[in-house]
Amino acid sequence: MIIVVSPEAAPGDIDHIVARIEESGRQAHLSVGAERTIIGVIGSDSPELLDTFLVLPGVESVHQVTKPYRLVSREFRGDDTVIEVGHGVTVGGGELAVMAGPCSIENEEHIFESAQAVKAAGANILRGGAYKPRSSPYAFRGLGEVGLRYLAAAGRELDMPVITELMSTSEIDVVCEYTDIIQIGARNMQNFMLLDAVGKTRKPVMLKRALSGQIEEWLLAAEYIVAQGNPNVILCERGIRTFETAYRNTFDINAIPLVKELSHLPVIADPSHGTGKFGLVEPVAKGAIAAGADGLMIEVHDRPDHALSDGAQSLTYERFAGLMRSVAQVAAAVGRDISAVGVAAGAR
Ligand code: PEP
Ligand code: MN
């Protein structure tokens, strides 16, 4: 249930409403918007309870939520969520964010060089995996904490926030120490203990859609994080597994406008994992931005044939710079704010 507070509510009315919610054995989640304060009531709904809340002083209206997720729904919050991820960078709210870098942090020099290259091309967030979810236990599984140190140092040096994947609750402290954004990978979208754990932090979390994750399951997974008190959730469409084997995954472009309609959370598109093929990354990136994505995650490698993971979908520095130029054109054509991503002068 959602309680909309009247703009004319007296001081103290909100405290009183919250106290009554708690008295009923439910929890209250406040969302203070520019125009309105909305209170989410977490717990079972009933028509009697709706009537009770409706007559409290300061209440404008009370709504039964029609979706199983609440705090992440548009019904709960009409305004887009904008998340500050550090170094003055924000995700959501119309500005484009571009996360780029290698799939895996490979060594110190490589992540520094990658950071310089992606920043020069206009990316504003550096990515790199140190704990890698690999299908085979014999594949390169990441440098662990040493890699995180290299990533954080590169981010500091280049004045860019960094994002890296957290695979298990046992690494949460070390990952939080070094990263600005925690990535929850597709394979962990429904690892509910992990979701609870990142929900207890206040770090921005990027939640990737599972390989077979339905939209509702994905939004409920985001709800887990927000319900623990962390409102800083970014969604990421990274392709789903379908009958098609001509590419690694099927990038579900429908998900972008649908999720923007159902939720106030920002949505990033990952056409690298969404296609698995470097030649498809740029056209799908352009489509995703035109469809309303708040930004991109792109894997970049100077020598994709030598990459320790995901070389087939990695763009060279030159290709990435080309992608940034053409994405900027599409973004400008659909009225998006591209001031935050530093596309080279004259590129448009
Ligand atoms: C990644 O970003 O490198 C990754 C492993 O992504 P996903 O969880 O989407 O497969
Ligand atoms: Mn990857």
Side-chain angles (χ1 to χ4, degrees):
M1 194 177 301
I2 282 168
I3 300 176
V4 180
V5 178
S6 160
E8 282 92 46
D13 281 351
I14 293 181
D15 290 347
H16 183 227
I17 299 166
V18 169
R20 289 299 300 271
I21 293 168
E22 289 172 354
E23 244 171 59
S24 78
R26 293 167 177 82
Q27 278 180 301
H29 271 264
L30 252 69
S31 165
V32 183
E35 310 209 328
R36 286 228 169 344
T37 293
I38 293 177
I39 306 174
V41 183
I42 307 303
S44 58
D45 285 0
S46 78
E48 297 76 46
L49 198 68
L50 193 146
D51 290 342
T52 311
F53 291 143
L54 199 53
V55 296
L56 292 179
V59 171
E60 183 176 275
S61 55
V62 183
H63 307 269
Q64 215 113 26
V65 182
T66 54
K67 306 282 191 308
Y69 44 86
R70 298 163 190 211
L71 304 171
V72 305
S73 73
R74 270 282 174 212
E75 287 161 312
F76 180 59
R77 198 184 149 146
D79 302 337
D80 284 345
T81 285
V82 180
I83 300 173
E84 291 183 14
V85 298
H87 296 257
V89 176
T90 57
V91 179
E95 257 185 30
L96 216 61
V98 178
M99 310 171 175
C103 178
S104 298
I105 301 153
E106 300 189 354
N107 59 57
E108 190 172 13
E109 196 188 343
H110 188 252
I111 191 69
F112 269 82
E113 187 201 283
S114 305
Q116 279 165 347
V118 299
K119 182 167 178 160
N124 58 355
I125 299 170
L126 176 64
R127 70 146 283 147
Y131 298 97
K132 297 301 304 174
R134 302 307 301 275
S135 301
S136 162
Y138 308 119
F140 176 65
R141 293 169 67 180
L143 295 181
E145 185 173 352
V146 174
L148 292 178
R149 254 186 255 138
Y150 299 155
L151 179 71
R156 260 199 315 276
E157 174 86 11
L158 275 293
D159 191 22
M160 295 170 93
V162 300
I163 177 167
T164 199
E165 180 164 352
L166 170 68
M167 284 178 57
S168 137
T169 52
S170 51
E171 273 79 46
I172 193 162
D173 291 340
V174 67
V175 168
C176 281
E177 186 183 337
Y178 292 109
T179 200
D180 298 290
I181 309 173
I182 302 171
Q183 176 170 320
I184 299 294
R187 289 153 195 82
N188 273 316
M189 186 195 87
Q190 288 188 312
N191 181 339
F192 299 117
M193 304 295 262
L194 189 59
L195 301 179
D196 275 346
V198 296
K200 290 192 177 95
T201 76
R202 290 297 171 271
K203 282 268 181 198
V205 176
M206 188 170 86
L207 177 66
K208 289 191 141 195
R209 183 178 178 184
L211 278 70
S212 299
Q214 293 179 337
I215 302 284
E216 192 167 287
E217 292 169 329
W218 188 19
L219 292 175
L220 279 167
E223 184 86 8
Y224 263 84
I225 302 170
V226 182
Q228 288 294 335
N230 186 353
N232 303 312
V233 179
I234 302 163
L235 299 166
C236 177
E237 163 60 41
R238 48 77 73 206
I240 49 175
R241 189 168 278 186
T242 69
F243 59 84
E244 187 54 76
T245 55
Y247 23 75
R248 184 177 179 189
N249 289 298
T250 299
F251 184 81
D252 180 13
I253 198 161
N254 304 9
I256 292 167
L258 182 61
V259 162
K260 299 285 302 175
E261 190 184 304
L262 297 175
S263 175
H264 51 83
L265 298 176
V267 186
I268 295 291
D270 172 356
S272 302
H273 295 86
T275 63
K277 287 178 182 280
F278 76 89
L280 303 182
V281 172
E282 181 176 322
V284 174
K286 290 194 287 186
I289 294 303
D294 292 286
L296 297 169
M297 168 166 267
I298 306 287
E299 287 187 339
V300 177
H301 200 282
D302 58 330
R303 293 190 301 162
D305 58 326
H306 285 74
L308 297 182
S309 57
D310 286 350
Q313 66 198 34
S314 296
L315 301 190
T316 60
Y317 299 156
E318 294 70 28
R319 281 185 199 278
F320 177 63
L323 172 145
M324 289 300 291
R325 287 193 293 271
S326 63
V327 161
Q329 284 174 336
V330 171
V334 297
R336 304 292 301 283
D337 181 352
I338 53 165
S339 53
V341 293
V343 179
R348 282 171 283 144

